[in-house]
Amino acid sequence: RGRVYSVCNQVGVTSAAGLSLTTPVLTLYNPAGSGCTGRLWCASANMLVANTAAATIWLAAGTDTVAANVTGTLTTAHRNLKLGGITPATQGNRIVALLAATLPAIPVGIDVLGVGLTAAITTAMQVKSHERWYYGGLLIQPGTNLSIQTSTASGASGLWCSYIWEECALVA
């Protein structure tokens, strides 16, 4: 029905150390008053550069619905998954995908997507994908945000993140 969207980093990024309100690498924000509920289908994070220290990879949530707005750089890579001739400016989606966001408060880790290690990726036959499928069970209500964050800084420009979400009628 044209209500499912996807976004991922187009270049590798370096994450901050610990749950942070400054510059999470990829954030979904459902603005207050959007009139929709987001249903998260999938979140993933992949590390292509060895970390200087092992890192827990969290899906973190900011749920203070009366806090200030989330700000950041609007992605140009998010897409409606009803592909074909639809550009980001005309997608009509309400949930905002942001790079290098500033959150109004430090988020809380709500799930662990995986662990990034310190070994070079050339030592393994396959690089593990850190992803979790929520199948629409995680609701992103107006005024809330989701971000992928790490307990220690990721390797330089080595973290790649993505989300798949659906926008539905407001769930009271």
Side-chain angles (χ1 to χ4, degrees):
R1 291 178 246 171
R3 299 182 317 205
V4 178
Y5 300 86
S6 180
V7 67
C8 68
N9 298 83
Q10 301 300 295
V11 297
V13 292
T14 304
S15 64
L19 293 167
S20 172
L21 58 86
T22 56
T23 63
V25 294
L26 187 60
T27 300
L28 287 183
Y29 172 53
N30 188 353
S34 71
C36 79
T37 292
R39 292 183 175 274
L40 185 67
W41 283 90
C42 183
S44 73
N46 295 287
M47 296 182 157
L48 299 179
V49 176
N51 296 332
T52 56
T56 298
I57 306 165
W58 291 295
L59 178 65
T63 58
D64 184 350
T65 60
V66 296
N69 291 334
V70 175
T71 60
T73 304
L74 182 65
T75 68
T76 58
H78 63 282
R79 290 291 184 265
N80 182 308
L81 292 182
K82 185 177 179 183
L83 299 172
I86 300 173
T87 61
T90 61
Q91 288 183 59
N93 63 304
R94 297 180 184 168
I95 293 177
V96 181
L98 299 165
L99 302 169
T102 298
L103 309 177
I106 295 173
V108 173
I110 59 170
D111 200 358
V112 174
L113 299 178
V115 174
L117 300 177
T118 58
I121 63 169
T122 56
T123 64
M125 295 300 290
Q126 178 179 356
V127 178
K128 180 174 176 17
S129 175
H130 305 294
E131 67 181 17
R132 178 90 62 218
W133 283 88
Y134 297 94
Y135 301 103
L138 195 156
L139 302 182
I140 312 164
Q141 292 291 76
T144 63
N145 63 77
L146 293 176
S147 58
I148 294 174
Q149 304 209 15
T150 58
S151 61
T152 59
S154 64
S157 300
L159 180 62
W160 300 75
C161 303
S162 69
Y163 297 106
I164 299 172
W165 75 96
E166 180 180 7
E167 296 182 5
C168 302
L170 190 60
V171 174

